[in-house]
Amino acid sequence: MDKLSVMHAFRRIVERGSFARAAEDLGVSPALLSREIKLLEESLGTTLLTRTTRSMSLTDAGRLYLDEATVVLNAVTTVETRIREGAGSVRGHLKVNASSSFGQTVIAPILPEFLEAYPDVRLTLSMDDRVIDMVEGGFDVSIRIRAGLPDSALVARKIGTMHQRVFAAPAYLKRAGTPSTPDDIARHRVIGFLLADHLTSWELHGSSGTATIDLDPPVRVGNSLVLRDLLIAGQGIGTLPDFVSKEPEIRGDLVRVLPDWELPAPEIFAVTASRLGMDAKVTAFLDYLRATLRP
């Protein structure tokens, strides 16, 4: 027996003064309503309503039950209203997780404007280059960059696409020569990204097809910002995501190597734990993020 439903039904019976009218309001049969109230009385060990063919009245126990049930039902209504209103307002503690490079180059620049727009939001930004347990960490959203996400209890929403291209510093290319074909890469000093699927094998796609290059990078790092800095310093050739390579390419610190070729483009996902939909603060944050990622 659903106690809240029975409380609600009992109050409606008293308000309407009739099982039949209350049953009509609730969309159930009078017989079902009568049976529910009888079960309630049996569970309490007392009579709540006295009924005759012409009238119905509350017993003392019935008046007490009505008063207390009304308090409970009103409290539930208040809580539900506050939660619904809160779900639609951009406030509360927003906990975000992302990789170090994405957090520093993409998320950090939008934070001042986001926090200015939503002053009632408290923000925690955690940056970790390895996939974390977002449920255990209590995160509202985790930004993950993958070719695809495995099936899980988490909910992944695509918010963008990341392009991966090959770069080197002009000084390095002047010294070591500029590759003219994908096969030339193997003869160069490659800086590898430890966490990438393509650490020891690059699958390059271009207008003329696909080329796979097997590699043994002499230098391997686990952070793409460090990899970027090594490339700028002329230490070799490496792959970078577009959100890391954009600014140094504009400045001329890095140039595209094999500009007609690039690695497969993984997707950028916003991962949340709930299938009931995102609350307002997460939605607002991702709107800012999507605008930044938009081509």
Side-chain angles (χ1 to χ4, degrees), residues 23-245:
E24 183 178 356
D25 291 347
L26 297 172
V28 298
S29 69
L32 175 61
L33 206 55
S34 179
R35 185 163 61 251
E36 290 291 320
I37 298 303
K38 182 179 180 181
L39 290 172
L40 174 63
E41 290 176 329
E42 289 177 353
S43 70
L44 296 173
T46 188
T47 301
L48 302 176
L49 292 167
T50 57
R51 287 168 279 177
T52 67
T53 55
R54 296 185 177 182
S55 65
M56 180 184 69
S57 62
L58 285 169
T59 63
D60 289 342
R63 289 189 186 89
L64 175 61
Y65 187 85
L66 177 64
D67 291 343
E68 296 302 323
T70 298
V71 171
V72 171
L73 292 171
N74 288 345
V76 170
T77 299
T78 298
V79 168
E80 290 178 342
T81 300
R82 289 176 61 187
I83 290 174
R84 289 191 188 100
E85 290 175 348
S89 61
V90 183
R91 63 175 66 245
H93 191 181
L94 175 63
K95 297 186 68 176
V96 180
N97 172 262
S99 69
S100 298
S101 56
F102 192 90
Q104 292 182 56
T105 60
V106 180
I107 296 179
I110 71 173
L111 291 184
E113 184 179 350
F114 174 76
L115 294 172
E116 187 72 22
Y118 302 108
D120 292 329
V121 171
R122 295 173 56 220
L123 176 73
T124 295
L125 173 59
S126 171
M127 291 180 286
D128 195 313
D129 286 318
R130 297 190 180 275
V131 176
I132 51 87
D133 186 331
M134 61 176 296
V135 175
E136 182 178 336
F139 293 102
D140 296 293
V141 60
S142 178
I143 306 302
R144 298 181 183 175
I145 302 173
R146 296 286 183 274
L149 287 177
D151 293 335
S152 73
L154 302 177
V155 181
R157 298 171 176 86
K158 178 184 171 182
I159 60 172
T161 300
M162 183 192 81
H163 294 280
Q164 299 182 100
R165 299 176 176 117
V166 185
F167 290 90
Y172 172 83
L173 296 176
K174 183 177 181 180
R175 183 176 71 251
T178 300
S180 58
T181 69
D183 289 338
D184 293 339
I185 294 290
R187 293 190 288 272
H188 281 263
R189 179 180 169 88
V190 173
I191 312 296
F193 184 42
L194 276 173
L195 304 180
D197 294 335
H198 58 270
L199 174 62
T200 58
S201 180
W202 290 2
E203 184 182 281
L204 296 174
H205 297 268
S207 57
S208 58
T210 300
T212 301
I213 305 101
D214 293 326
L215 303 165
D216 183 18
V219 180
R220 309 177 182 202
V221 296
N223 182 288
S224 58
L225 296 180
V226 175
L227 195 157
R228 174 202 63 189
D229 292 345
L230 287 171
L231 295 182
I232 291 174
Q235 291 299 307
I237 287 177
T239 63
L240 289 174
D242 48 9
F243 58 81
V244 172
S245 65

Side-chain angles (χ1 to χ4, degrees), residues 267-286:
E267 310 294 354
I268 303 173
F269 294 97
V271 182
T272 57
S274 174
R275 294 187 178 274
L276 298 178
M278 299 177 295
D279 66 14
K281 63 182 182 292
V282 175
T283 299
F285 174 75
L286 293 182

